[in-house]
Amino acid sequence: MKYSLFFVLILLMACKNDQQKTGSEKSTIEIKTPLEKTTYYLIRHAEKDLTDSTNHDPNLTEEGLTHAQFWSQFFSDKSLDMIYSTQYIRTIQTVIPTLDETKLQLTFYDPDKLYSQEFLNETQGKTVLIVGHQSSIPNLANKLLGKQQYKKIPADVYDNLYIIVFESDGSKNGKIETKAYQN
């Protein structure tokens, strides 16, 4: 009987300690990275038309369309498995030539919700292209790497290529190629 009472007291104390944890401690989720080599190519959309400041979803400029063709040629030998884009005209127009080249299906994503265990599981062992925006691309690169390595892309820069690689040993590395596209 003494031991039963002692066991119940220990159990109650453990439950009380768990209840005292803050909401942020309870909701912290550890996201596990893939164990197969996975490569993420992240690019910002190409040059957009800035002539109408009230248009929040502009088309690409002629230079932007040429830039999109460059990306298609660049990725033609990368053996892409998946392509993600936001639902903005400029990101879709940036990726259309690559979709035509690869015959892959486009997956739309919400930049605030993409990084998750489900996303990592879905892309594990794959080579993935993600087209986004001046803040969402470096933010995603930082989340993938698990550290703050990249800053917001300047408004007039459209040609950076972020390459994030998860190795099968669990290590991660990232690099950025600036001026990947030169007109």
Side-chain angles (χ1 to χ4, degrees), residues 8-180:
V8 169
L9 284 173
I10 290 175
L11 186 59
L12 287 173
M13 287 176 56
C15 289
K16 183 177 178 182
N17 285 341
D18 187 48
Q19 290 173 349
Q20 290 176 346
K21 289 183 180 179
T22 65
S24 65
E25 289 175 316
K26 284 185 176 181
S27 66
T28 301
I29 298 170
E30 181 181 336
I31 295 184
K32 296 179 181 160
T33 57
L35 297 178
E36 294 179 53
K37 183 173 182 176
T38 306
T39 303
Y40 298 98
Y41 292 102
L42 289 74
I43 60 172
R44 180 185 181 194
H45 59 79
E47 292 79 357
K48 63 183 177 179
D49 183 353
L50 298 172
T51 57
D52 180 359
S53 63
T54 63
N55 184 355
H56 298 290
D57 194 12
N59 287 301
L60 295 181
T61 62
E62 285 302 315
E63 182 180 359
L65 293 170
T66 301
H67 192 163
Q69 287 294 331
F70 163 81
W71 285 126
S72 174
Q73 293 168 3
F74 178 86
F75 289 114
S76 66
D77 66 348
K78 303 296 187 264
S79 300
L80 295 175
D81 297 302
M82 305 174 88
I83 300 176
Y84 287 79
S85 171
T86 61
Q87 293 188 37
Y88 287 88
I89 291 171
R90 58 193 175 271
T91 54
I92 296 167
Q93 287 178 327
T94 300
V95 79
I96 283 175
T98 305
L99 290 168
D100 288 345
E101 177 75 27
T102 63
K103 308 297 184 223
L104 291 171
Q105 180 178 347
L106 180 60
T107 302
F108 290 114
Y109 74 96
D110 178 338
D112 296 326
K113 298 178 182 176
L114 180 63
Y115 182 73
S116 65
Q117 188 63 58
E118 181 182 345
F119 169 74
L120 293 175
N121 290 344
E122 189 174 283
T123 58
Q124 183 176 30
K126 306 224 181 322
T127 301
V128 182
L129 170 60
I130 302 169
V131 183
H133 305 273
Q134 74 182 95
S135 61
S136 67
I137 289 300
N139 286 343
L140 179 58
N142 291 335
K143 286 179 182 179
L144 288 167
L145 289 170
K147 61 184 175 180
Q148 293 295 346
Q149 185 167 326
Y150 302 113
K151 295 179 182 176
K152 183 177 177 179
I153 302 168
D156 62 343
V157 174
Y158 296 94
D159 55 0
N160 291 347
L161 170 67
Y162 297 77
I163 305 170
I164 310 297
V165 179
F166 291 0
E167 298 293 346
S168 56
D169 65 3
S171 65
K172 304 178 213 179
N173 61 69
K175 69 177 182 173
I176 181 172
E177 292 183 18
T178 58
K179 306 291 182 198

